[in-house]
Each structure stands twice: as structure tokens, then as C-alpha cells.
């Protein structure tokens, strides 16, 4: 498990780097005067302006392109029939402006190639929405809700619209049906039989915020919404939780994040670690029941902003996130890169341990077999090898129990290198450092043909938010090693210091998601050249607070 610590402070001129991004669950803490906030009508007018720009597109345009720009809180979905991944929406913050997207990208797995697909009348720009793929009609991508952020990243419009992308014809359609959920972000949605089931989320108004634990079903045949009222005690209001369907047809809800006011101007966040099972009652159509379950095994530590997918064996896969130690005036986050699996049949968590790449051992030449002194050399090497180092960390769950997490670090040889099976092999078989995704939250996951694909996300370093655009792949059958498909150097990312005021034209351009001006790009290059680079072997996240002035 990898953790990147960062200390965030509240009440500063600029809020700590996007505290809101804790699973899109909590409003950002800010000293901004609420009376100066733009009205709901202002945001709606801005969204309408962008939709008018999109309406100028009258035909489908597919353009081969380089990998998408850095972003988080987008959706990544596997095509039900083709060897393709579909990326939609998301957001990016460069220190001054928030960019929100409604771009649609398709990644061809076999060709390792990206295509930008422009389709007339797309959904408005959004992030923190939910996307679900169903196979009918040649494949459909259903999208509900999410949010649009103003260019300053302080004001938000929450959608309650429902869209479907017909993958066979590449056409967008807005489905208008009354009785659906209210506008929200950070909710979760899954496909269950011929329905979409939606749970939770949150909404921020001008002066307050609210978390939900309501449950809705959308019928994919009748195109109608219905609100469900399960029996039993279900989860408390939350957003950013795990929601997956088991092979037996039950729905699992795990974890999530919520925030509540403990006193005036002071909010307290909760990283939930409880689990619930939602089952349809047999013989009673439309009737559901909640049951709380207590899984065993190597449970994930409490966290928010984790990413979820379903493995080929119907186990739920959980990756990364951020664990917050929150005080009244500070928020210390530890970003994670660990992998966990939940087996609903055994009701048990398992840590995702990689086996490492298989290295074909060279056969020793016949003349070296049984060479005198070989056994003594092996014994000597064994006595010099260090024992594995066990690192323990205690975390307090929401129910008050203390969980002790132990992480084993590989044994090192006398020179600080991992031990190899054959000390006589040449340099060509020297150990290669493992390739793995860096610690992050709000990444996008998708599984296709037994392979897990991970794209983007973010982590924080000092007062800087680093948004990622890398792409990794992991064979879930072999569980040997990650393969990097798209590399990214976080140090090359533009970061602009906040100014006291911005021009209106810049604000509109920022929210639209267009490119920066040449002057902005030049200033970004100059800033990168002036900042000292990280020391050899020093993690980038650790170098930023030291090197940035």
C-alpha cells in the first residue's frame, strides 16, 4: 500500500486543493462571501450558452487523437460488444480555473489508439456523474446527473437529467421521465436486470448541502422512474460509495463519505466503512430489503475517493482513494494505491497481491552444476538476507473499532537490492523496478476481457493538485504486474498560482474546457523551468513543497 501524505489548511484565501474532491462528497471550505455567489440562473445561463455552442455540431466526426488530457471524476466504460473503452466528461483544475468536459473518447484496445468522437446534441459538460453500459440495441451508455462547476471552482449546478448514447448509431438521446431523483453528484448507479438502480449522492445549495440515501429504479423497457422503499435498516446518507451487483442478483453498498455540521462554520467528515446488502424479495415485484453484513478478511482501511469495478469472477474490485485525518483546522490526507477484492459468496475481503513478472530461469551449464562451494555460498547469502520488514498502522473506523494494518516490505540483499533466484546470472537478468500506478483518488476503472484498465485521477502535494492522464492495465487472471499504456510525468503539468481577480473572458473559456492561450502556456513553461527538479530517488509529491516557492 502506497500513501502520499499532504496537509491541507482551512480558512485560507484559496481553499485547500479541492477538498471537494473527496469522492465528490463535501463542499469546499472557503472564505468566499456567500452573498457574492452567482445565482442558479447565472449557472443555468452559462450551461445554456455552452449547449448552444454544441448545437452547432450537425454531424458525427471521429478524429484519431493523442490520449485525453488529465482529468478526474469522468466515467470509463467497457463497450459490451467491441474491444473499446468509452471515456466521457470529467474535470481538471490548474490552480486558477476549473475545466469541465463533455468530450467523448474511444480507446481501441487492440490498436492501442484513441479517437475523439464528436456527436451532435451531447449532454452538457459535467463531472461526478454515473455511467452504466447495457447490451441491448447494440449497446447503450446511460448517464445520470453529475455537476457543472463555475470557472472559479466554487459554485456548482447539479444535474438531474438522464441521457443514453446509442453505441450502434452513435447518437445521443435525452430521456425525459418524471418522478426521478433530484439533482445530485457522487451518487452510484448499476444495471440490474432490465432496470437502472440509483443510490445516494449529495447536493450543495447556495448556503448548505445535503447527502442522500434514497433509492430509485429506472425501467429500461417502460422508460419510467420509481422510488423504492426497502424494508430493514439501510445505509445512512452518503456519496462516493461502492455499489455493485453480485452473481446472485443482490446489490452491495460499501463505504462512502458524508459530512455534517457539528457547530457554526465547522463541518466534520465521515469516511464510512460499513456494508449493506440490498435484495429483491422473491415473489414480490418491486419490493426490496436491506441487510447489514459484516465481512471478514483483509478489509480496506477507511477511505474516500476510491474507485470500483467488477472482476470476471463477480468479485468487487476496489482501488486507491484517500484516507483523511481530519481536525478542526487541518486535513491530512494519505493517498493510496492498494487493491482489494470482495467476494460476496464468502463475504470476505482479500488484499490484491501481485505475483510479479515471470522470469525464465537460465539453465546452468553442465560444468557448473554441483560445483564445490555452491551450497556454502547459498547458506552465506541466506544468512546475510534481511528479514521482511513489517510496518503497522492503526486506523479508527466509524464504529469506534481500531483496525491494525500491516504492510510487508520485500527483503533486501546486503547491497540494498532484492534477492534474486540465481546470483550467477548476468546483468541482463537484473531485477527491474515494478511498474504500478501512483497513489491517487477519483481514478476511472473499467474491466474488459479479464483485464483491468485504470485511467487518470488526482493526488495532492502541498497546495498543489496533480491531475493525472496515465493509463494502466492489469491482467486479473494472472495478477502478475501492471502494464503502463500511457505514461505521464506529473512534474510537467501546468500549475498556476491563484490571482486576486480574473477576466470574465478567461472565466468563460475556463469553464468551457477550451485550451489556454499562448501566454498562459509560456508562463507555465517558464514556471516549470525555474522550479528546481526533484532530487534523485525523491518522490515527486515530496519534492513539491520543498522546491516550489
Amino acid at each position: 500500500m502506497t500513501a502520499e501524505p499532504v496537509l491541507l489548511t482551512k480558512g485560507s484565501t484559496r481553499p485547500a486543493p479541492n477538498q471537494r474532491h473527496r469522492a465528490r462528497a463535501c463542499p469546499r471550505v472557503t472564505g468566499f462571501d456567500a452573498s457574492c455567489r452567482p445565482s442558479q440562473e447565472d449557472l443555468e445561463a452559462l450551461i445554456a450558452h455552452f449547449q448552444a455552442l454544441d448545437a452547432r455540431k450537425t454531424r458525427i466526426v471521429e478524429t484519431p487523437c493523442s490520449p485525453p488530457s488529465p482529468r478526474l471524476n469522468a466515467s470509463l466504460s467497457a463497450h459490451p460488444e467491441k474491444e473499446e473503452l468509452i471515456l466521457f466528461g470529467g474535470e481538471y483544475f490548474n490552480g486558477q480555473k476549473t475545466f469541465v468536459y463533455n468530450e467523448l473518447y474511444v480507446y481501441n484496445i487492440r490498436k492501442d489508439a484513441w479517437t475523439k468522437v464528436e456527436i451532435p446534441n451531447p449532454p452538457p459538460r459535467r463531472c461526478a456523474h454515473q455511467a452504466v453500459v447495457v447490451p441491448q440495441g447494440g449497446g447503450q451508455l446511460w448517464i445520470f446527473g453529475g455537476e457543472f462547476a463555475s470557472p472559479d471552482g466554487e459554485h456548482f449546478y447539479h444535474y438531474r437529467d438522464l441521457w443514453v448514447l446509442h453505441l450502434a448509431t452513435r447518437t445521443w438521446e435525452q430521456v425525459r421521465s418524471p418522478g426521478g431523483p433530484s439533482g445530485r453528484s457522487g451518487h452510484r448507479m448499476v444495471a440490474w436486470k432490465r432496470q437502472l438502480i440509483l443510490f445516494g449522492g449529495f447536493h450543495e445549495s447556495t448556503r448548505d448541502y445535503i447527502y442522500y440515501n434514497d433509492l430509485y429504479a429506472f425501467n429500461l423497457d417502460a422508460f419510467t422512474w420509481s422510488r423504492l422503499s426497502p424494508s430493514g435498516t439501510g445505509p445512512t446518507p452518503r456519496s462516493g460509495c461502492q455499489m455493485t451487483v453480485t452473481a446472485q442478483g443482490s446489490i452491495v453498498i460499501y463505504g462512502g463519505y458524508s459530512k455534517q455540521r457539528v457547530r457554526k462554520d465547522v463541518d466534520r467528515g465521515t469516511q464510512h466503512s460499513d456494508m449493506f446488502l440490498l435484495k429483491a424479495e422473491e415473489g414480490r415485484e418491486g419490493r426490496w430489503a436491506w441487510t447489514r453484513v459484516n465481512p471478514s478478511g483483509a478489509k480496506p482501511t477507511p477511505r474516500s475517493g476510491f474507485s470500483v469495478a467488477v472482476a470476471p469472477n463477480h468479485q468487487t474490485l476496489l482501488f486507491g482513494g484517500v484516507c483523511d485525518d481530519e481536525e478542526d483546522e487541518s486535513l491530512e490526507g494519505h493517498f493510496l494505491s492498494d487493491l482489494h477484492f470482495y467476494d460476496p459468496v464468502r463475504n470476505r475481503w482479500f488484499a490484491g497481491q501481485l505475483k510479479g513478472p515471470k522470469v525464465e530461469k537460465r539453465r546452468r551449464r553442465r560444468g557448473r552444476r554441483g560445483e564445490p562451494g555452491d551450497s556454502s555460498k547459498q547458506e552465506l547469502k541466506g544468512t546475510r538476507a534481511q528479514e521482511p520488514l513489517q510496518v503497522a498502522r492503526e486506523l479508527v473506523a466509524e464504529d469506534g473499532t481500531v483496525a491494525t494494518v500491516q504492510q510487508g516490505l520485500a527483503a533486501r540483499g546486503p547491497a540494498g537490492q532484492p534477492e534474486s533466484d540465481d546470483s550467477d546470472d548476468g546483468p541482463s537478468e537484473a531485477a527491474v523496478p515494478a511498474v504500478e500506478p501512483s497513489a491517487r483518488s477519483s481514478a476511472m476503472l473499467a474491466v474488459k476481457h479479464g483485464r483491468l484498465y485504470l485511467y487518470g485521477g488526482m493526488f495532492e502535494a502541498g497546495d498543489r493538485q496533480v491531475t493525472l492522464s496515465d493509463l494502466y492495465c492489469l491482467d486479473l487472471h494472472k495478477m502478475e504486474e501492471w502494464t503502463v499504456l500511457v505514461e505521464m510525468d506529473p512534474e510537467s503539468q501546468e500549475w498556476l498560482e491563484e490571482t486576486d481577480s480574473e477576466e470574465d473572458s478567461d472565466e468563460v473559456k475556463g469553464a468551457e474546457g477550451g485550451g489556454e492561450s499562448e501566454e498562459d502556456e509560456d508562463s507555465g513553461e517558464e514556471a516549470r523551468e525555474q522550479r528546481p527538479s526533484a532530487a534523485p530517488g525523491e518522490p515527486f509529491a515530496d519534492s513539491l513543497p520543498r522546491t516550489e516557492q
Side-chain angles (χ1 to χ4, degrees):
M1 178 175 67
T2 304
E4 298 288 353
V6 59
L7 184 64
L8 311 180
T9 59
K10 299 180 181 179
S12 58
T13 303
R14 183 179 71 80
N18 283 358
Q19 293 178 23
R20 232 184 113 76
H21 292 158
R22 296 294 192 258
R24 305 307 297 171
C26 53
R28 293 174 72 181
V29 179
T30 173
F32 191 86
D33 183 359
S35 63
C36 299
R37 291 174 182 258
S39 66
Q40 189 82 348
E41 291 76 13
D42 293 333
L43 288 178
E44 290 176 356
L46 192 57
I47 294 170
H49 168 71
F50 297 144
Q51 284 187 288
L53 296 178
D54 289 333
R56 298 176 183 175
K57 304 171 183 176
T58 58
R59 61 189 181 92
I60 301 173
V61 179
E62 300 185 15
T63 308
C65 63
S66 56
S69 60
R71 63 192 65 197
L72 67 153
N73 293 314
S75 57
L76 184 67
S77 309
H79 195 293
E81 298 179 357
K82 299 181 179 180
E83 298 289 315
E84 294 178 347
L85 303 179
I86 305 165
L87 180 70
F88 174 77
E91 62 175 317
Y92 168 68
F93 179 60
N94 70 355
Q96 289 186 358
K97 291 181 291 187
T98 296
F99 300 78
V100 183
Y101 307 106
N102 65 343
E103 300 166 328
L104 183 72
Y105 290 93
V106 174
Y107 176 69
N108 187 298
I109 296 174
R110 290 189 180 276
K111 297 180 180 179
D112 186 25
W114 288 92
T115 301
K116 184 176 182 181
V117 183
E118 299 179 81
I119 301 175
N121 302 310
R125 291 157 172 76
R126 69 189 62 204
C127 60
H129 54 279
Q130 279 289 276
V132 171
V133 169
V134 295
Q136 49 256 47
Q140 298 173 346
L141 176 70
W142 288 85
I143 289 176
F144 178 83
E147 68 186 41
F148 172 82
S150 62
D152 61 7
E154 301 293 346
H155 323 296
F156 303 88
Y157 178 87
H158 297 266
Y159 296 104
R160 58 176 303 180
D161 52 353
L162 180 66
W163 294 77
V164 57
L165 173 62
H166 300 279
L167 298 176
T169 59
R170 303 236 162 154
T171 54
W172 282 109
E173 176 189 358
Q174 183 175 3
V175 178
R176 304 179 186 274
S177 176
S182 58
R184 63 190 63 194
S185 308
H187 51 288
R188 292 296 179 257
M189 186 170 73
V190 295
W192 184 84
K193 296 184 177 180
R194 300 285 295 179
Q195 299 182 76
L196 302 176
I197 308 295
L198 185 147
F199 170 80
F202 88 107
H203 179 278
E204 179 186 4
S205 64
T206 304
R207 298 181 181 276
D208 207 352
Y209 54 85
I210 183 173
Y211 289 85
Y212 300 106
N213 63 345
D214 48 2
L215 196 66
Y216 286 84
F218 180 78
N219 188 299
L220 292 170
D221 296 319
F223 279 23
T224 55
W225 283 106
S226 59
R227 181 165 181 173
L228 306 179
S229 300
S231 60
T233 302
T236 56
R238 65 192 62 193
S239 71
C241 61
Q242 164 194 314
M243 185 178 188
T244 52
V245 180
T246 70
Q248 293 73 34
S250 300
I251 297 176
V252 176
I253 299 289
Y254 167 76
Y257 188 96
S258 65
K259 210 170 183 72
Q260 62 181 355
R261 185 137 306 157
V262 294
R263 60 179 183 272
K264 185 178 179 180
D265 298 329
V266 177
D267 300 322
R268 174 69 63 179
T270 299
Q271 297 170 112
H272 299 279
S273 58
D274 47 0
M275 180 177 285
F276 295 83
L277 206 60
L278 179 66
K279 290 185 178 181
E281 298 183 1
E282 294 184 9
R284 305 182 65 183
E285 185 176 354
R287 300 300 300 271
W288 297 73
W290 285 113
T291 304
R292 180 161 181 172
V293 294
N294 295 300
S296 59
K299 302 177 183 179
T301 55
R303 66 189 66 194
S304 61
F306 53 79
S307 305
V308 173
V310 177
N313 55 5
H314 295 285
Q315 293 184 357
T316 297
L317 182 155
L318 183 150
F319 171 84
V322 57
C323 177
D324 290 329
D325 296 328
E326 188 172 359
E327 301 294 339
D328 287 348
E329 299 299 330
S330 66
L331 181 68
E332 185 177 0
H334 300 270
F335 287 80
L336 307 166
S337 63
D338 51 351
L339 199 59
H340 292 265
F341 292 87
Y342 173 68
D343 184 344
V345 176
R346 302 170 64 181
N347 190 27
R348 186 178 181 87
W349 282 103
F350 298 90
Q353 301 290 346
L354 301 187
K355 303 173 185 176
K358 290 184 178 179
V359 180
E360 189 173 331
K361 297 181 180 180
R362 294 180 178 178
R363 292 185 177 180
R364 296 180 182 270
R365 290 190 296 271
R366 185 183 301 270
R368 292 186 56 82
R369 290 181 181 173
E371 187 173 286
D374 278 355
S375 59
S376 62
K377 289 180 181 178
Q378 292 296 328
E379 292 177 3
L380 181 60
K381 185 173 72 173
T383 59
R384 291 180 181 176
Q386 299 178 11
E387 293 295 326
L389 176 62
Q390 294 291 332
V391 179
R393 181 183 176 199
E394 290 188 349
L395 291 171
V396 181
E398 60 177 316
D399 59 3
T401 60
V402 178
T404 301
V405 181
Q406 288 193 345
Q407 177 186 6
L409 303 180
R412 316 296 288 185
Q417 298 297 325
E419 297 288 357
S420 63
D421 293 333
D422 191 347
S423 60
D424 295 317
D425 287 340
S428 60
E429 296 203 8
V432 178
V435 175
E436 62 179 15
S438 60
R440 66 190 68 193
S441 70
S442 305
M444 284 62 71
L445 297 184
V447 174
K448 184 68 176 179
H449 292 324
R451 285 181 166 83
L452 171 67
Y453 293 87
L454 182 151
Y455 168 79
M458 60 82 72
F459 66 89
E460 294 161 352
D463 287 334
R464 177 173 179 175
Q465 173 180 304
V466 180
T467 307
L468 302 166
S469 61
D470 46 5
L471 178 65
Y472 288 83
C473 175
L474 175 65
D475 189 322
L476 296 175
H477 295 297
K478 297 179 179 179
M479 287 296 290
E480 291 178 358
E481 62 177 339
W482 288 94
T483 300
V484 58
L485 301 175
V486 177
E487 292 183 290
M488 176 190 174
D489 178 12
E491 194 169 356
S492 65
Q493 187 174 98
E494 175 188 56
W495 182 257
L496 304 177
E497 295 299 327
E498 186 179 20
T499 57
D500 293 334
S501 62
E502 294 179 0
E503 296 294 334
D504 293 342
S505 60
D506 288 341
E507 291 190 353
V508 173
K509 181 176 64 176
E512 184 177 353
E516 290 80 11
S517 65
E518 293 182 4
E519 181 180 351
D520 289 340
E521 292 177 356
D522 292 342
S523 63
E525 285 293 333
E526 182 180 354
R528 287 193 291 271
E529 291 175 1
Q530 291 177 352
R531 186 175 63 78
S533 60
E538 182 182 23
F540 173 68
D542 295 342
S543 72
L544 277 174
R546 175 181 61 78
T547 59
E548 288 201 327
Q549 302 298 325

